[in-house]
């Protein structure tokens, strides 16, 4: 199967793991769309959502200083599967997969790249809410794992809210 992968940023380790494990499973990645972190509107929205402390965390992540095998479960997953890459840029270089940096997944640049990829489907690894134009461009064929039980817990921090309100953690695949 030929797939398109989205990611919210280049060092999204879960997206690196997804790219490699999908490749190992015999699927082809047609392209990876990464939302550029250097977008003022996006930065403002993220600070509103996550608070000012987010800026420091993002700066550390971009510098590659966060996490470690002992503390980050995604790092442990990468180690367990012997995945050495820690950025999508490095992964795409080795596997000759086009990497497109886009201002938003709903931008004309992202939609054009999605159309050019001619993928059988999209693996959503982050990057913001998908608009109708993007969904139409890919024929609505998007697979996403949401970190909470839908429709009860939507949006960011769904896992945390479900635990806070006494519900067991759950993942909704849609």
């Amino acid at each position: 199967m030929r797939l398109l992968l989205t990611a919210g940023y280049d060092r999204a380790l879960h997206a690196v793991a997804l790219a490699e494990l999908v490749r190992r499973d015999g699927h082809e990645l047609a392209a990876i769309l990464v939302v550029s972190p250097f977008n003022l509107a996006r930065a403002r929205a993220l600070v509103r959502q996550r608070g000012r402390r987010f800026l420091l965390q993002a700066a550390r992540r971009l510098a590659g200083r966060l996490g470690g095998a002992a503390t980050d479960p995604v790092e442990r997953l990468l180690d367990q599967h012997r995945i050495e890459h820690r950025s999508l840029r490095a992964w795409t270089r080795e596997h000759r997969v086009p990497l497109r940096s886009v201002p938003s997944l709903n931008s004309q640049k992202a939609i054009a790249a999605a159309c050019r990829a001619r993928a059988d489907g999209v693996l959503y690894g982050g990057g913001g809410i998908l608009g109708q134009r993007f969904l139409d461009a890919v024929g609505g064929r998007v697979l996403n794992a949401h970190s909470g039980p839908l429709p009860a817990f939507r949006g960011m921090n769904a896992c945390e809210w479900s635990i806070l309100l006494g519900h067991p953690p759950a993942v909704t695949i849609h």
Side-chain angles (χ1 to χ4, degrees), residues 107-123:
S107 68
Q108 188 55 44
K109 183 176 179 181
I111 292 167
C115 289
R116 275 193 311 274
R118 291 191 167 96
D120 298 314
V122 176
L123 294 176

Side-chain angles (χ1 to χ4, degrees), residues 135-153:
L135 293 171
D136 289 345
V138 298
R141 298 176 311 269
V142 178
L143 183 63
N144 178 42
H146 176 71
S147 63
L150 287 174
F153 297 96

Side-chain angles (χ1 to χ4, degrees), residues 52-114:
R52 290 187 179 139
R53 209 170 82 190
F54 163 76
L55 291 175
L56 180 58
Q57 293 169 338
R60 286 183 180 157
R61 188 175 333 140
L62 286 171
R65 296 185 195 143
L66 276 184
T71 60
D72 186 344
V74 180
E75 283 279 357
R76 287 196 306 268
L77 175 79
L78 292 168
D79 290 344
Q80 175 187 355
H81 289 279
R82 293 183 176 90
I83 300 171
E84 295 180 14
H85 297 96
R86 293 302 187 263
S87 76
L88 290 165
R89 187 167 312 283
W91 187 92
T92 57
R93 235 181 277 127
E94 179 175 326
H95 297 288
R96 299 175 191 248
V97 172
L99 177 75
R100 303 287 182 250
S101 181
V102 296
S104 158
L105 292 176
N106 299 307
S107 68
Q108 188 55 44
K109 183 176 179 181
I111 292 167

Side-chain angles (χ1 to χ4, degrees), residues 35 49 104-107 124 126-132 134-135 155-156:
V35 178
Q49 287 174 353
S104 158
L105 292 176
N106 299 307
S107 68
Y124 180 81
I129 296 172
L130 299 176
Q132 193 61 50
F134 183 91
L135 293 171
M156 297 294 296

